[in-house]
Amino acid sequence: MRNILIVGATRGLGHSLAIQYAKKGMTVYATARYSIPQTPSHGIHWIANVDVSHEGAGRRIAAHWEEETKIDLLVICATYFASETFDGLHYDKEVAMYKTVAIGPVFLVQHLVHAEILKKNSRVVLVGSENGSIALRHESGGGGNYGGHGSKAALNMVGKLLSIDLKPKDIPVAIVHTGYLRKENKEGFFEHSGDKHAVKPDEAATALRDWLETFDMSKTGEFWAVRGAADIKTAEAVLGPLDSLPTPLQLPW
């Protein structure tokens, strides 16, 4: 594996993943929705103004790509989440979630395949979330967040469909849950939504890299929690005792 493209890499998981791979000596290409970060790049090749919610995101990447260079690994980390309750819905935000999470990635992958940047033995990973699993929804987890959960469920479906369409091209596709992340503020890291199992982006990126060492065509079309079930609030109610569940864990749809 030589050339890695990480879509959505200016912060969080994508940023940590890009830095870790670059430090390992990989050639890393990374996209920013707007301008590229002003912090040290660690040799990362940045592509600015790539908005996954826009239909032309893949074409923009292809236009800045070096000829004859294949993507060995594509990781789409770009996402958008807005909280909602049943009494506090937001139509435009829901549309934005679906466009960013589930619609845009399909067009991006299609454009890169047609540009012959993604081809035989390339691998595609879509970073989703356990909250897109219908099987894991349970009363103990509550309702709400219709756009957030619905768009992630849609990502699971399009990821599965992409895996079917790209299998004849020898391009495996998988969806992963990397866990809930702590966010950074001026005082340092604080836990996402008060979840004691939330981790720093570096920890999630390391777990994802470890899982990627095992990812090949045998796992195409599958949905994995690379850090196991510890941060999945409904896992015990749906899947059984946490200490009986393996890490990594293949998740139900």
Side-chain angles (χ1 to χ4, degrees):
M1 181 169 63
R2 301 183 306 276
N3 302 310
I4 299 168
L5 172 61
I6 301 172
V7 176
T10 53
R11 59 183 179 178
L13 175 69
H15 188 62
S16 292
L17 195 62
I19 291 173
Q20 288 185 17
Y21 272 127
K23 287 182 176 179
K24 290 288 185 180
M26 305 295 182
T27 301
V28 178
Y29 299 83
T31 74
R33 185 180 181 188
Y34 300 116
S35 58
I36 65 175
Q38 298 305 306
T39 53
S41 66
H42 303 279
I44 296 169
H45 305 274
W46 284 97
I47 305 173
N49 301 311
V50 176
D51 187 340
V52 177
S53 68
H54 291 175
E55 186 264 343
R59 285 195 291 267
R60 180 165 182 81
I61 292 171
H64 288 77
W65 203 255
E66 298 176 16
E67 289 187 18
E68 305 302 322
T69 301
K70 183 189 85 170
I71 297 172
D72 295 301
L73 173 65
L74 167 65
V75 183
I76 301 181
C77 298
T79 191
Y80 171 59
F81 175 83
S83 297
E84 293 178 292
T85 64
F86 177 72
D87 292 317
L89 301 176
H90 198 294
Y91 188 89
D92 290 339
K93 288 181 180 179
E94 284 208 20
V95 170
M97 282 185 267
Y98 277 94
K99 288 173 66 177
T100 303
V101 173
I103 299 173
V106 180
F107 284 83
L108 188 150
V109 169
Q110 184 214 46
H111 290 152
L112 296 183
V113 169
H114 286 176
E116 297 187 342
I117 298 170
L118 280 174
K119 48 190 174 182
K120 183 176 181 177
N121 296 325
S122 295
R123 298 181 296 162
V124 177
V125 174
L126 308 174
V127 177
S129 171
E130 60 85 15
N131 64 29
S133 168
I134 294 174
L136 286 173
R137 302 286 55 82
H138 186 269
E139 289 181 358
S140 62
N145 292 329
Y146 295 91
H149 289 288
S151 62
K152 293 296 188 183
L155 176 65
N156 285 350
M157 176 59 81
V158 301
K160 182 68 174 181
L161 295 172
L162 282 171
S163 76
I164 295 169
D165 282 335
L166 296 182
K167 189 172 184 179
K169 300 180 183 294
D170 292 318
I171 301 174
V173 181
I175 306 93
V176 297
H177 167 70
T178 59
Y180 294 103
L181 303 183
R182 299 181 185 185
K183 295 182 180 180
E184 188 176 11
N185 60 18
K186 293 180 181 179
E187 289 75 37
F189 284 96
F190 64 91
E191 292 187 348
H192 174 76
S193 301
D195 187 342
K196 67 179 181 179
H197 295 292
V199 297
K200 295 179 180 180
D202 280 349
E203 296 174 75
T206 298
L208 178 55
R209 284 197 302 111
D210 288 343
W211 181 84
L212 283 166
E213 292 297 318
T214 73
F215 173 44
D216 56 22
M217 189 59 76
S218 69
K219 288 186 171 72
T220 194
E222 296 180 352
F223 182 25
W224 284 82
V226 300
R227 293 180 48 246
D231 69 337
I232 302 175
K233 295 178 181 178
T234 62
E236 194 156 27
V238 177
L239 302 176
L242 295 182
D243 59 9
S244 70
L245 300 175
T247 299
L249 173 67
Q250 185 177 356
L251 294 176
W253 300 108

